[in-house]
Amino acid sequence: STCQNVSIIPANWTELQFDQALLKEYGNAEKKFEEKITIQCYWFSGLAVVTWLTGWMQVTFWMLQANRQKKVIRNEFFKSILRQDVGYYDVNKTGEINVRLGDDIEKIYHGMSDKVSQLVMNLCRTIGSLVIAFVYSWKLTLVIFACTPVMVISTTIMMKINQVYTEKELDAYSKAGGIAEEVISSIRTVAAFGGQRKEVERYEDNLKLARST
């Protein structure tokens, strides 16, 4: 009767007719809702495929260019070693140079492979998130921005500490590798003078320094 009074349904409708119309409308709404959900599922499935494809391209292409650059850097480094004077080999041990030729370039390879693409991706993601945040709630975004300087400073300090200790670790491992190659290349002389224990201790000291770093 209330619906009839406010002219939502015709005045001559019975309660049975109202129930039937309500069920019909509910069925149509449920059907439309399921159709919309199906369309959204198709969209998300397509986006998942596109995301997987672009992610594969991102990692694959950046790894390929990093491999090529690693090869070029290794060749140029080897050529530069051969161009050095004899005094250079008196200051730098041959084994240490070989270790650096492998380990240091491997570090460079890991730094310029897919990590560069991840940096670009995270930068774009950050900019997009900031734009969306300012559009929907600029006041709350400004409040959150108050914590940004602390995060930036702490991240910078952490990266600087990591850089310092990484250099110390590489130096320690390169010295240990130089000792190992030096001893192995002249193992007969070392064995003749009974210096195995001393050389092992030298090698372990550098390994302990690298682990502690």
Side-chain angles (χ1 to χ4, degrees):
S1 61
T2 304
C3 295
Q4 291 174 343
N5 293 334
V6 295
S7 300
I8 296 177
I9 61 174
N12 58 351
W13 270 25
T14 62
E15 185 176 354
L16 179 61
Q17 290 175 320
F18 176 73
D19 292 339
Q20 290 176 349
L22 186 62
L23 290 174
K24 182 179 180 181
E25 186 66 25
Y26 174 76
N28 292 333
E30 184 179 6
K31 184 178 180 181
K32 291 179 181 180
F33 178 75
E34 290 178 354
E35 291 177 353
K36 290 181 179 180
I37 291 296
T38 303
I39 294 173
Q40 294 297 323
C41 290
Y42 288 148
W43 274 106
F44 276 104
S45 299
L47 288 174
V49 173
V50 173
T51 302
W52 176 84
L53 182 61
T54 53
W56 175 83
M57 293 172 61
Q58 168 190 338
V59 175
T60 302
F61 292 154
W62 279 95
M63 294 292 285
L64 285 175
Q65 65 85 24
N67 274 310
R68 293 173 180 175
Q69 291 194 56
K70 181 178 73 171
K71 181 181 178 181
V72 173
I73 292 173
R74 184 166 290 174
N75 289 334
E76 294 298 325
F77 183 51
F78 183 70
K79 291 178 183 178
S80 66
I81 292 174
L82 296 179
R83 289 196 299 265
Q84 302 301 320
D85 297 330
V86 179
Y88 176 82
Y89 301 100
D90 296 333
V91 178
N92 299 279
K93 296 180 180 180
T94 307
E96 184 176 345
I97 295 174
N98 290 334
V99 173
R100 288 193 176 276
L101 183 62
D103 293 347
D104 289 11
I105 294 177
E106 197 68 24
K107 293 282 186 181
I108 297 173
Y109 164 74
H110 288 299
M112 66 182 178
S113 56
D114 59 329
K115 292 183 179 179
V116 179
S117 62
Q118 291 178 5
L119 174 64
V120 176
M121 180 183 66
N122 292 329
L123 183 62
C124 296
R125 184 181 296 172
T126 302
I127 295 174
S129 300
L130 290 176
V131 171
I132 295 173
F134 274 110
V135 168
Y136 281 93
S137 179
W138 62 271
K139 293 182 180 179
L140 181 60
T141 306
L142 290 177
V143 173
I144 297 175
F145 251 97
C147 302
T148 302
V150 179
M151 297 173 60
V152 172
I153 293 173
S154 61
T155 304
T156 304
I157 294 174
M158 183 181 66
M159 291 177 63
K160 185 64 178 178
I161 294 174
N162 188 30
Q163 179 182 357
V164 172
Y165 281 101
T166 300
E167 291 177 357
K168 291 182 179 180
E169 179 188 4
L170 290 175
D171 290 338
Y173 276 121
S174 63
K175 290 179 181 178
I179 292 172
E181 185 164 344
E182 179 184 350
V183 172
I184 293 173
S185 61
S186 56
I187 188 63
R188 293 183 179 179
T189 305
V190 174
F193 287 94
Q196 294 95 327
R197 175 59 58 184
K198 181 179 179 181
E199 298 300 334
V200 169
E201 291 176 355
R202 287 176 59 203
Y203 184 74
E204 288 180 350
D205 289 340
N206 284 277
L207 288 182
K208 289 179 181 178
L209 179 61
R211 292 194 195 100
S212 63
T213 303

